[in-house]
Amino acid sequence: MPATHTQHDDDHDHDQGLAHDLQTLLSRQPDRRSALRWLALGTLAPASAFSLVGCGGGGDDSSTATTTTGTTTTGTTTTTTTTTSSGTCSVIPEETAGHYPGDGSNSTSAGVANALLLTGIVRSDITTSIGSGDTATGVPLTITLKLLNTSASCATLAGYAIYLWHCTADGEYSMYSSDIADQNYLRGVQETDANGEATFTTIFPGCYSGRMPHMHFEVYPSLALATTAANKVKTSQLSFPVATCSEVYASSGYEASVSNLARISFASDNVFSDGTSLQIATISGSVSAGYTASLDVAIAA
């Protein structure tokens, strides 16, 4: 079905207003990987309000992995780090959460949009809406995010929580796009295991106009704190190799993505244009069998 909204979370084209002035000012900060992304009002209901989310941090903070174990206790939350020996890791860039996060930071005509408060949001399979909702259709994809700590020699971070969300095969976002505002699929939270990993079963996202195919995610210190955007410690995005995107979009259900992908590139994408080395998932599989992807996500914990 065709997308019904006219503006997405990170539209490529935007005017030169206040956001441009802020971008110009922040671009002078030497410790930022890149300037503030942009802030533009979406085409949601008049009650919608969006947070100003910067991007930066980049890969400046890197570490060489050694054998390390440790336990950190903050209040009533205990986080255990295990070890890795994967060489070096760099902090994944901070990116915008966009207009459709569903993390309590903005609203729709129905009120504050917060999927994190839904009973059942902690789940690995995010293809179906919680409750009596529908199921998102598309090419199957299983994606594993591995959380690493650059402050502890790239040790894995167990006991954290990752909230992942993305658009449908035809470029719409549940809870926000008008024809699926009553759905909450393609959103879910997973706790990182002893290996620092969180795995989600989903579908390959479509490519909408002005953006390369992508997924959003937020990192929280624990499941208990994964209830509102105010508690997140990292926001970023990931993408996929262009060859894989083209392969998927040649299949049924992704017709609009073919032309949209042809008009955009990582170099012109307003999120990925400053580099993708830390944000492109490793992927294998096929349209018929489904795909398996993985990405190391390093933060300074």
Side-chain angles (χ1 to χ4, degrees):
M1 61 186 166
T4 58
H5 53 289
T6 57
Q7 183 176 3
H8 284 282
D9 52 352
D10 312 300
D11 287 337
H12 177 65
D13 296 322
H14 54 281
D15 58 25
Q16 301 290 307
L18 174 60
H20 174 71
D21 295 336
L22 290 173
Q23 181 180 16
T24 302
L25 289 172
L26 290 175
S27 65
R28 297 171 184 167
Q29 297 183 25
D31 60 339
R32 296 293 294 267
R33 167 181 143 127
S34 59
L36 182 69
R37 296 301 179 201
W38 51 272
L39 175 66
L41 291 178
T43 55
L44 306 180
S48 301
F50 302 108
S51 300
L52 182 65
V53 184
C55 75
D60 304 299
D61 188 356
S62 61
S63 178
T64 301
T66 57
T67 302
T68 307
T69 58
T71 301
T72 301
T73 303
T74 303
T76 59
T77 301
T78 300
T79 299
T80 302
T81 61
T82 54
T83 62
T84 66
S85 56
S86 57
T88 61
C89 59
S90 297
V91 173
I92 195 166
E94 183 79 6
E95 306 289 11
T96 176
H99 290 335
Y100 314 118
D103 59 5
S105 62
N106 67 13
S107 302
T108 68
S109 58
V112 176
N114 193 351
L116 297 176
L117 296 179
L118 293 172
T119 300
I121 193 64
V122 180
R123 55 185 184 155
S124 58
D125 187 340
I126 63 174
T127 57
T128 301
S129 284
I130 297 169
S132 58
D134 298 335
T135 298
T137 58
V139 173
L141 170 67
T142 299
I143 183 161
T144 298
L145 302 181
K146 185 171 187 175
L147 199 59
L148 306 174
N149 185 6
T150 61
S151 299
S153 301
C154 301
T156 54
L157 288 169
Y160 277 64
I162 297 178
Y163 169 41
L164 179 78
W165 75 97
H166 63 87
C167 71
T168 63
D170 52 3
E172 297 189 320
Y173 284 87
S174 67
M175 301 176 66
Y176 293 86
S177 299
S178 59
D179 56 340
I180 55 172
D182 59 341
Q183 302 297 321
N184 51 56
Y185 47 51
L186 307 184
R187 300 176 183 274
V189 176
Q190 278 286 282
E191 183 179 33
T192 56
D193 62 17
N195 297 315
E197 295 179 341
T199 298
F200 299 86
T201 300
T202 186
I203 62 167
F204 202 93
C207 178
Y208 53 76
S209 180
R211 282 302 316 276
M212 287 295 288
H214 63 282
M215 291 181 169
H216 296 266
F217 62 91
E218 294 172 342
V219 179
Y220 290 83
S222 67
L223 276 179
L225 291 174
T227 57
T228 174
N231 298 331
K232 65 184 178 181
V233 296
K234 193 71 179 181
T235 306
S236 195
Q237 298 182 26
L238 64 89
S239 190
F240 307 93
V242 174
T244 302
C245 295
S246 297
E247 184 176 69
V248 171
Y249 296 158
S251 61
S252 176
Y254 292 91
E255 287 78 10
S257 295
V258 176
S259 57
N260 289 335
L261 183 63
R263 295 193 298 268
I264 190 71
S265 67
F266 287 120
S268 59
D269 184 278
N270 70 317
V271 169
F272 297 122
S273 58
D274 55 357
T276 58
S277 61
L278 302 176
Q279 295 170 279
I280 300 294
T282 299
I283 192 166
S284 61
S286 65
V287 170
S288 59
Y291 291 87
T292 300
S294 63
L295 181 71
D296 286 351
V297 175
I299 65 173

